[in-house]
Structures are given as structure tokens and as C-alpha cells.
Amino acid sequence: MVRNVLDMNAHFGGFNSALLEAGKSVWVMNVVPTSGPNNLPLILDRGFLGVLHDWCEAFPTYPRTYDLVHAEGLLSIETAKQRRCSIVDVFFEIDRLLRPEGWVILRDMTSLIETARTIAARLKWEARVVEIESNSDEKLLVCQKPLIKRRSYPS
């Protein structure tokens, strides 16, 4: 069940709008990265929640808050400029924010998605790459964070 959604690169709030049109009763936090264009006033004008945030910093929320994390083009924005953090740093933050058995949906350039898939595998997430369009250089990465069960040790 998805209740809390984090859109890490909200653009104009389209993902939030699509969830509402689909009749999904979810709470969405729209984030506009400081490394890209500031569309926050447009998101707020649509009546959606939103904040500006630098993804090289920790997001100010409790760990394991979100059931679904969505990011379209975030990896491209973060790697386009020489940033002080790497894709691995962004993934560690996603891992902190995501609940066990939560989902991550990333859409970006094929090379960045392949790098992201490698990182997801290192985090022990289930990950699969999905083709979007046959002649597009973009792909979709869908991941699920596992529920880690504690080992029971004999007494």
C-alpha cells in the first residue's frame, strides 16, 4: 500500500497530478532540486505541497517516511554540473528515506540508469530496467527495497 510519496524532481507537479487523476489517495511531497530550474511557485500555485532542496544534503524528515520515491531526470541534473556529491550519495539518502518494501521509480538517460541499477544491486534492492520507447535514450529503473529480517540466533 502506498501512502506517502516523494517526488525528488517534481518539475511542475505532474506526477502528483497523475496520482490524483488516477484516484490514488496519497500524500505527495514535491521537491524541486536547487541544482535545476526553480518551478516551486508553479507547484504551489497548483495547490500542491513542495519545497526546494539540495540533494547533496540530508532531506529534513524522519527515516523510512516514504513508500514510493519518484525521480525523473534527477540523476542527469545532479551529474550535469560538477556537484559535491555523487549518485551513490543520492542513493544512500533514498535508502534512508524509503520504508522497507518501498518502491523507487527513476527515469533518466540509459547510461545513468545502468549506473543506478548497479548501485541498487549493491544496496540489495530488487531492480529491473524497463524500456520506455524503442528509439529513446531514456530508460526506467524500478526498484524495491527489501524487508530485512533479523536473524534468530540459537540461545
Side-chain angles (χ1 to χ4, degrees):
M1 183 169 140
V2 175
R3 296 168 294 198
N4 298 320
V5 177
L6 175 65
D7 193 350
M8 295 179 72
N9 187 16
H11 297 286
F12 303 112
F15 190 65
N16 191 345
S17 181
L19 290 170
L20 287 174
E21 284 182 22
K24 303 296 179 192
S25 178
V26 295
W27 182 86
V28 180
M29 173 54 77
N30 296 288
V31 179
V32 176
T34 56
S35 53
N38 182 2
N39 297 323
L40 185 59
L42 299 170
I43 290 169
L44 298 176
D45 284 347
R46 294 180 79 178
F48 299 148
L49 292 173
V51 295
L52 281 170
H53 183 67
D54 178 356
W55 284 113
C56 290
E57 302 288 333
F59 192 68
T61 190
Y62 291 107
R64 299 182 196 97
T65 300
Y66 296 98
D67 304 301
L68 173 66
V69 174
H70 174 262
E72 181 183 350
L74 179 70
L75 302 178
S76 293
I77 289 173
E78 292 299 323
T79 58
K81 302 172 185 165
Q82 284 218 325
R83 303 282 293 160
R84 62 185 200 280
C85 63
S86 67
I87 294 176
V88 174
D89 297 320
V90 173
F91 264 80
F92 283 151
E93 184 62 5
I94 294 171
D95 188 59
R96 183 184 76 85
L97 297 172
L98 192 63
R99 285 190 176 125
E101 297 186 327
W103 293 88
V104 177
I105 302 171
L106 301 173
R107 179 179 177 158
D108 222 307
M109 306 301 286
T110 300
S111 60
L112 294 171
I113 289 296
E114 291 301 329
T115 301
R117 183 171 59 115
T118 302
I119 296 167
R122 288 182 184 161
L123 290 170
K124 307 289 187 216
W125 293 356
E126 294 177 30
R128 83 181 86 97
V129 176
V130 179
E131 294 272 339
I132 299 172
E133 299 166 5
S134 60
N135 56 350
S136 173
D137 189 37
E138 288 188 338
K139 289 192 178 175
L140 200 66
L141 179 65
V142 179
C143 307
Q144 186 175 26
K145 181 179 177 177
L147 175 64
I148 299 174
K149 296 179 182 177
R150 291 187 161 204
R151 292 183 184 180
S152 58
Y153 295 101
S155 306

